[in-house]
C-alpha cells in the first residue's frame, strides 16, 4: 500500500487506558520486563534531545524577555520537569507498541528499564512541575500546565487521531505565554509570538513523526502525519515553519526579520525542488527553517509582552 493510501483507522484508545493497564498489571502482581540498566534507561526514556532543546529555548526566551537569574532558573526548572514528565509518559504508554515494532533504540523495548518505573517517574515529574510552574505566578503557572496537559493528552491517545497536531500547537504556544505572564506586572503575551510558537510546534510534529510513519501505522497509530503519508508530510512540513517565520518577521519589522524570511523561503524552495531526487533534503531544509525560527524567536524575546501592558518596562530585577 502506498504512503498516501487511506488505511482503515481503528477507534482511538480512550485517554488514560494505557497507564490504567500498567496500574492493573501492578495490582495483579504481574512482573514487568527485566531491567538491565534502569538509571540509564530512565535518562534515555525522557527523550533527552527534545527535553534539553525545549528547556534551553524557553529559558533563553525568558532571559531575552528580561527575567533575572532567579526567574530564569524557575522557568528552566518548571519546563524541565514538564518535559521529563511528557517524555517518560510517552515511553511508558508506547512500551507495548515499541516492543511489537522491535524498536531497539527505545529504552523500555530494549529492556534497559521497565514501563512501570518509567510511568512512576512521569507521574512524579508532573507533580513536581506544578509548584515550579506556579512559582512564576498564577497566570504563568496555568499557561504552562495547560501546555503540559496537552502534551500528556497527546501521549495518552490524541496522537492516534486527525487532531494530533493540536497538542503540539498548544504546548509550544503555551511557552511564550508562560514566560510573558511571569514578567513584572504579569502582562499578556503578544499574539504573534504565541502564534509563531504554535506554528513551530505544528512543524515539529510533522518532522518528528516522519521517521516512524511505517512502524506507527503497523501498530495502530493513525495521527495526521500518518494519514498524509510521507510524501504529504514532506510537502506540508515547511509551510507552518514558513508561516512562523513570517509572523516573527512582521510582528516587529526590521532588517533581521526580512533576511530571516528570505533565507527561510529560499531553504524551503530548495527542499521542494530537490526533494524529488533526494527525499531527505525536504526534511533537512525544514530543520534549517526551524533553526531560523528559533533564532528569530529568541531575538524577539523583548517583544514577548503586549505593548502598553502594565509595568512591562520595570527592571527585570524586580521579577519573581
Amino acid at each position: 500500500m502506498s504512503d498516501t493510501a487511506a488505511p482503515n483507522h481503528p477507534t482511538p484508545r480512550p485517554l488514560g487506558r494505557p497507564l490504567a493497564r500498567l496500574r492493573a498489571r501492578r495490582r495483579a502482581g504481574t512482573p514487568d520486563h527485566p531491567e538491565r540498566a534502569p538509571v540509564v534507561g530512565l535518562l534515555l526514556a525522557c527523550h533527552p534531545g527534545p527535553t534539553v532543546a525545549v528547556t534551553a529555548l524557553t529559558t533563553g526566551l525568558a532571559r531575552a524577555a528580561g527575567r533575572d537569574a532567579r526567574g530564569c532558573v524557575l522557568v528552566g526548572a518548571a519546563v524541565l520537569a514538564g518535559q521529563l514528565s511528557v517524555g517518560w509518559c510517552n515511553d511508558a504508554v508506547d512500551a507495548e507498541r515499541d516492543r511489537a515494532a522491535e524498536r531497539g533504540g527505545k529504552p523500555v523495548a530494549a529492556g534497559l528499564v521497565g514501563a512501570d518505573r518509567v510511568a512512576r517517574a512521569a507521574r512524579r515529574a508532573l507533580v513536581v512541575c506544578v509548584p515550579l510552574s506556579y512559582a512564576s505566578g498564577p497566570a504563568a503557572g496555568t499557561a504552562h500546565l495547560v501546555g503540559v496537559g496537552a502534551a500528556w493528552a497527546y501521549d495518552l491517545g490524541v496522537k492516534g487521531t486527525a487532531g494530533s497536531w493540536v497538542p503540539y500547537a498548544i504546548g509550544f504556544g503555551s511557552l511564550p505565554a508562560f514566560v510573558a505572564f511571569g514578567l513584572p506586572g504579569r502582562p499578556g503575551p503578544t499574539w504573534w509570538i504565541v502564534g509563531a510558537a504554535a506554528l513551530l510546534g505544528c512543524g515539529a510534529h510533522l518532522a518528528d513523526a516522519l521517521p516512524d510513519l511505517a512502524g506507527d501505522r503497523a501498530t495502530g497509530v493513525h495521527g495526521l502525519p500518518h494519514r498524509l503519508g510521507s510524501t504529504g508530510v514532506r510537502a506540508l512540513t515547511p509551510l507552518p515553519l514558513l508561516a512562523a517565520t513570517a509572523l516573527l518577521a512582521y510582528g516587529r519589522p526590521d532588517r533581521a526579520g526580512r533576511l530571516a524570511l528570505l533565507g527561510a523561503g529560499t531553504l524551503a524552495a530548495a527542499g521542494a525542488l530537490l526533494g524529488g531526487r533526494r527525499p531527505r533534503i525536504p526534511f533537512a531544509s525544514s530543520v534549517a527553517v526551524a533553526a531560523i525560527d528559533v533564532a528569530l524567536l529568541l531575538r524577539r524575546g523583548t517583544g514577548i509582552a503586549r505593548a502598553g501592558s502594565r509595568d512591562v518596562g520595570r527592571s527585570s530585577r524586580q521579577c519573581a
Side-chain angles (χ1 to χ4, degrees):
M1 182 169 59
S2 68
D3 283 333
T4 55
N8 294 323
H9 306 308
T11 303
R13 294 174 300 171
L15 298 183
R17 183 179 293 177
L19 291 184
R21 285 203 299 266
L22 288 174
R23 289 193 296 269
R25 186 175 64 187
R26 188 165 61 249
R27 286 195 298 267
T30 305
D32 201 354
H33 288 253
E35 298 178 312
R36 293 190 287 110
V39 174
V40 174
L42 273 179
L43 290 174
L44 295 176
C46 76
H47 297 216
T51 293
V52 171
V54 172
T55 302
L57 170 62
T58 312
T59 305
L61 188 60
R63 181 59 182 165
R67 295 294 299 260
D68 61 5
R70 177 176 177 270
C72 289
V73 168
L74 288 174
V75 167
V79 174
L80 177 61
Q83 291 300 304
L84 288 173
S85 78
V86 171
W88 282 328
C89 176
N90 181 276
D91 269 27
V93 168
D94 284 351
E96 294 177 13
R97 184 182 296 115
D98 290 338
R99 291 190 187 106
E102 298 182 347
R103 290 174 178 157
K106 288 295 191 81
V108 177
L112 296 178
V113 64
D116 288 343
R117 187 187 299 274
V118 176
R120 288 195 298 272
R123 291 191 292 269
R124 289 167 182 169
L126 182 62
V127 170
V128 171
C129 178
V130 175
L132 287 175
S133 298
Y134 280 112
S136 291
T142 300
H144 185 231
L145 292 177
V146 165
V148 173
W152 271 69
Y154 174 86
D155 288 344
L156 296 176
V158 176
K159 69 185 296 180
T161 72
S164 59
W165 59 274
V166 176
Y168 270 80
I170 294 174
F172 274 69
S174 72
L175 295 175
F178 173 42
V179 172
F181 281 127
L183 292 171
R186 314 304 183 194
T190 51
W191 69 269
W192 49 273
I193 284 189
V194 172
L199 288 166
L200 186 59
C202 292
H205 172 44
L206 294 171
D208 183 59
L210 186 57
D212 296 323
L213 285 181
D216 285 343
R217 276 207 207 97
T219 54
V221 177
H222 297 289
L224 178 63
H226 312 88
R227 298 166 193 243
L228 293 171
S230 60
T231 301
V233 171
R234 288 191 183 96
L236 184 61
T237 299
L239 299 183
L241 299 176
L242 282 173
T245 311
L247 276 181
L248 292 169
Y250 289 103
R252 178 178 285 182
D254 61 8
R255 185 170 181 270
R258 291 191 293 272
L259 289 175
L261 186 56
L262 177 61
T266 302
L267 287 167
L273 290 173
L274 300 175
R277 288 177 291 176
R278 297 185 179 180
R280 293 189 178 183
I281 287 183
F283 177 74
S285 68
S286 295
V287 172
V289 174
I292 291 175
D293 289 345
V294 169
L296 199 54
L297 183 62
L298 290 173
R299 181 181 174 85
R300 296 293 190 262
T302 53
I304 196 171
R306 288 198 303 263
S309 295
R310 180 170 56 92
D311 296 332
V312 175
R314 188 182 300 172
S315 170
S316 62
R317 290 188 297 273
Q318 300 178 23
C319 186

